[in-house]
Amino acid sequence: MMTAILSQLVDAGVLTDATVRLARHLGWMYAEADDLVIAAAACTIAAGSSGSICFDPAHPSLLLATDDATASIPWPAPQPWLEALCASPMVAVDVDDHTRPMMVVNDVVYLTRHWNEQEKIARWLIDRVSLRRPDQVGSAPSSAARVVDEVDDDHTRALRCATTMLVCVIAGGPGTGKTTIVSEILDALSANRTEPLRVILSSPTGRAASHLDQAVSHRLTTQPHGVDPPPIRVTTGTLHRILGLKPRGGAQYDRRRPLPADIVVVDEASMLSLHLMAALLDAIGPHTRLILVGDPDQLASVDAGAVLADVVAAQPVVPVIRLTKTYRFFGAIADLADAIRRGDPDTAIAVLDNADDSVEWIRADIGAPDFLPTDLPRLRHDLVHQGLGLIRAGESSAVGEALDHLDAHRLLVAHRHGPSGVSQWNRVVHHWLAQAAPETVTARGWYPGLPIMVTRNDDALSVFNGDCGVIVDAGGLRLALPNPSGPRLISPDLIESWEPLYVSTIHKAQGSQFDSVSLLLPAEGTTLLTRELLYTGVTRAKTFLRLMGTETALRHAIDSPAVRASGLTNRLTTLRTGCQSNPKDSPASDPDPPTDES
């Protein structure tokens, strides 16, 4: 039976019954029955599920998106709560004790495994920043800051940093030239080598790893006439596959058997979780360079941690180069993205009210009881036009044209379910297309022109969760997927898990770009409606953005940066200033980018 505090937290939606049962089970294992301790354990577990890596009893509302949501909850007073925790047999205090599942560090509660992973990351980065490769030309820099301040141009600074340091972060928004810089770095490091440069190009997701491979491979193979390609041996794949992570724990590559690579590049590093980053660093050899590439203002991992944002916030402890010049989109889209990133709703509204032809704002209240999808006729026109183009290309075996149509426009939403979610809008768009092309779209299942998204990794087929393609009639129905050497054609019957791609969540679209984007904002009450979600959605558009939502929802998103409790930034700073021996010097509450979709 739940006692008062646990029942109130469950009723308020802070905890679930399952979380409380897990916390009680831990209490039973360690002979702990104090409900204050059980409540703290449940809150710490819940914090991890929402992306945080610790729980602060002095600021418990970090578990939710806003203080207002927890105003009516009678939270325990912080001091007696901490005293109960410090006296508990299931809690270690300021000492790493692997026999206890929880730790209190600087009056903040961690699961012991999260503290250990955070500590591993912080110490690895601090140690690596101070080292240089034996074959490095020139004198060793006295600090990361000195390296990045030597030149003014962002691209030159990034190239200099990545070729002189063993760890480097290249941060920047879409279209700022991050992939170009990676190619230039590989060119520079492979020059005058007698042995091929062993390069691993990876990412938390298969789609992002594939995109990086395509872009870098294309650049490296399009050398000027008469110029030999650089001696580079490239391996690509998701971090899970590259590391050989096993379902029950452990990995093929770790400290005892490091990755066979001279340089490891991780793209879309904003999606790195604490656990994945710790596993990666464990497998990096003593002379291997690590380059993290990503946008710290975008959505973070669906799992606990926001490593890239934490590391960027700790500069100049770790060398970070920010690329600021955008080459992909300009005008109102760029101005709107900048206003959102800076948290300036007034400027964002002004940009939308005075936008050029690249931005359209439809002030639709998606959450209104009387709202109907047909209230958005221009959206319907564009989706049907795109769908019919896909059908024509699919029926005529025009594979390249079909893939071009696929990336021409994308409807993005925040949720998986609900009136503004993927499941609802997939049904709506399918219904519109069935009305426009009844002979083709009436049947359930495959049809030429059907856009699909793969929803499960399949290493045997080299298809990954998030891969997008189109069904085409090529001597039978085939799934066409983009590939550097030309589209791949796969029997759709081999794809075990997929869903229609009439619409996508913003999170699933992260790492992709589309000629035009229609972005549907949910009602302002949802906890997913954050600054990072809005910024990520807006920056998927290259030439045209249609934003659909109320001004209230828009302002709410811009004024609501996602908050993840983390101690990594402060731990990096503390270790850098020489306080390695005292983990209590690490406060743990940093604002970080957001998390998963519902």
Side-chain angles (χ1 to χ4, degrees), residues 575-595:
L575 289 173
R576 184 63 176 174
T577 56
C579 299
Q580 293 94 331
S581 62
N582 185 7
K584 196 170 182 177
D585 289 329
S586 174
S589 182
D590 300 327
D592 292 313
T595 178

Side-chain angles (χ1 to χ4, degrees), residues 210-251:
S210 176
H211 285 179
L212 180 64
D213 180 30
Q214 292 176 34
V216 172
S217 298
H218 175 74
R219 180 174 174 84
L220 293 178
T221 55
T222 54
Q223 299 290 326
H225 182 69
V227 177
D228 293 330
I232 297 176
R233 185 189 305 149
V234 177
T235 302
T236 62
T238 65
L239 281 172
H240 283 78
R241 187 174 71 82
I242 291 292
L243 296 172
L245 293 179
K246 302 171 184 177
R248 297 183 180 275

Side-chain angles (χ1 to χ4, degrees), residues 15 26 71 109 111 140 145 184 228 231 236 274 307 340 345 348 361 405 421-422 427 491 504 506 512 523 529 587:
L15 303 177
L26 285 176
V109 189
L111 295 178
E184 292 174 355
D228 293 330
T236 62
L274 190 78
V307 174
I340 294 168
W361 184 16
H405 274 295
V422 167
R427 288 191 292 268
S491 171
S504 168
I506 296 171
S512 300
L529 189 54

Side-chain angles (χ1 to χ4, degrees), residues 47-85:
S49 298
S50 63
S52 295
I53 62 174
C54 53
F55 170 67
D56 187 352
H59 301 93
S61 60
L62 284 177
L63 278 174
L64 298 179
T66 172
D67 290 339
D68 294 339
T70 58
S72 61
I73 298 176
W75 292 104
Q79 194 56 40
W81 207 355
L82 285 167
E83 290 173 357
L85 281 164

